[in-house]
Amino acid sequence: MVVEPTADESLSLSDSLVAELQRRILGGQIAVGSWLRHEAIAEEFGVSRTPVREALRVLQAQGIVTIVRNRGALVEGLSGRDIRELGEVRAELEGLSASLAAENMTDDLLSVVTTAWDAFESELDAGGADRTALETAWRDANRRFHTAVLTGCGNRQLVITITEVSRRLPTNSSFAIYARSSRLLRENLEQHHDIARAIESHDSHAARAAMSLHIRSTAEHLARWVEDKDRT
């Protein structure tokens, strides 16, 4: 018997499902035009249908799926244009957060920002033959880095706004495009180093420019990848 979660637990499960389904849709594991069935998702993730329904409603509000009564949710995906437009918004918002972080960040958070990518860089320097390990290290570094910058900005309303936008274009959704090329992985790594150096130097203008460039670059790579998949 499946035990119904409490309201708070349901919200947490729903958020986790949204993030995972977004990742699979953007990554191509779930194809555009396919159907997501409530029962199948609930069974796979070992949850009741309540958080599944909530997650699919969120994805519908984001334009990623269309819920059809008695059939499930039809996957629409994000278009290249959607991703570029979301990237523009995120670039401005996260650029501001990096600028504020350069002025307000605590030493503890600065330590996270300057060391977050060490394990990933070591994995990459070692050859990155184990893709699973490389992806795990990248996702962990990316999450820790961007969370520290956002926390360090010191502006609660900005944190809320970026968190909401990031639900539509998750920060950790782009590894698949970088995994195709060691050059792109190095480029991505260096962009994070540029942001970290600017914040460490308390250079708010450089931090804003570096973060904005990073987000726009990521969005453009992801948009092109989605468009290339659509043409195949």
Side-chain angles (χ1 to χ4, degrees):
M1 182 178 78
V2 176
V3 178
E4 287 293 329
T6 65
D8 288 343
E9 289 172 339
S10 178
L11 181 60
S12 177
L13 286 171
S14 174
D15 288 343
S16 297
L17 286 172
V18 168
E20 178 60 19
L21 292 173
Q22 280 177 325
R23 186 187 70 81
R24 293 186 185 186
I25 292 168
L26 284 171
Q29 293 98 324
I30 298 176
V32 171
S34 61
W35 288 89
L36 298 176
R37 313 289 183 183
H38 293 73
E39 297 86 351
I41 296 173
E43 182 177 353
E44 178 182 353
F45 290 94
V47 298
S48 73
R49 293 184 58 172
T50 298
V52 175
R53 283 195 299 268
E54 291 169 354
L56 292 179
R57 286 186 190 123
V58 171
L59 292 176
Q60 177 169 252
Q62 295 174 348
I64 297 176
V65 305
T66 299
I67 297 174
V68 179
R69 186 175 177 83
N70 298 324
R71 293 203 64 186
L74 178 64
V75 177
E76 309 284 358
L78 288 174
S79 68
R81 176 177 177 175
D82 292 332
I83 293 168
R84 288 187 179 93
E85 289 177 349
L86 285 166
E88 288 176 358
V89 174
R90 268 190 52 192
E92 293 302 316
L93 293 172
E94 295 204 38
L96 175 58
S97 76
S99 173
L100 293 173
E103 300 171 355
N104 302 319
M105 182 171 281
T106 65
D107 290 343
D108 286 345
L109 286 172
L110 182 59
S111 177
V112 174
V113 166
T114 55
T115 62
W117 289 91
D118 289 355
F120 171 78
E121 191 165 12
S122 296
E123 190 74 36
L124 189 60
D125 288 343
D130 186 339
R131 175 174 168 137
T132 299
L134 190 66
E135 180 173 1
T136 298
W138 184 89
R139 289 184 179 279
D140 181 64
N142 206 46
R143 177 187 55 79
R144 293 178 65 230
F145 181 91
H146 285 279
T147 299
V149 172
L150 188 56
T151 303
C153 80
N155 185 312
R156 291 178 299 170
Q157 297 306 314
L158 184 58
V159 171
I160 292 169
T161 303
I162 290 176
T163 299
E164 184 59 35
V165 173
S166 294
R167 288 196 178 104
R168 296 209 61 199
L169 189 62
T171 302
N172 265 357
S173 61
S174 53
F175 179 79
I177 60 174
Y178 294 123
R180 301 176 301 167
S181 164
S182 59
R183 178 187 64 79
L184 289 179
L185 280 172
R186 292 285 180 186
E187 176 186 286
N188 181 257
L189 177 63
E190 190 56 37
Q191 287 173 356
H192 286 99
H193 284 333
D194 288 343
I195 298 165
R197 284 191 288 265
I199 291 175
E200 188 175 26
S201 300
H202 306 293
D203 188 335
S204 60
H205 294 294
R208 183 170 194 156
M211 179 66 86
S212 180
L213 174 65
H214 165 60
I215 299 298
R216 289 176 187 275
S217 172
T218 299
E220 181 60 28
H221 283 311
L222 186 56
R224 290 182 182 179
W225 185 61
V226 166
E227 289 167 345
D228 287 344
K229 285 197 304 162
D230 289 343
R231 284 192 287 266
T232 59

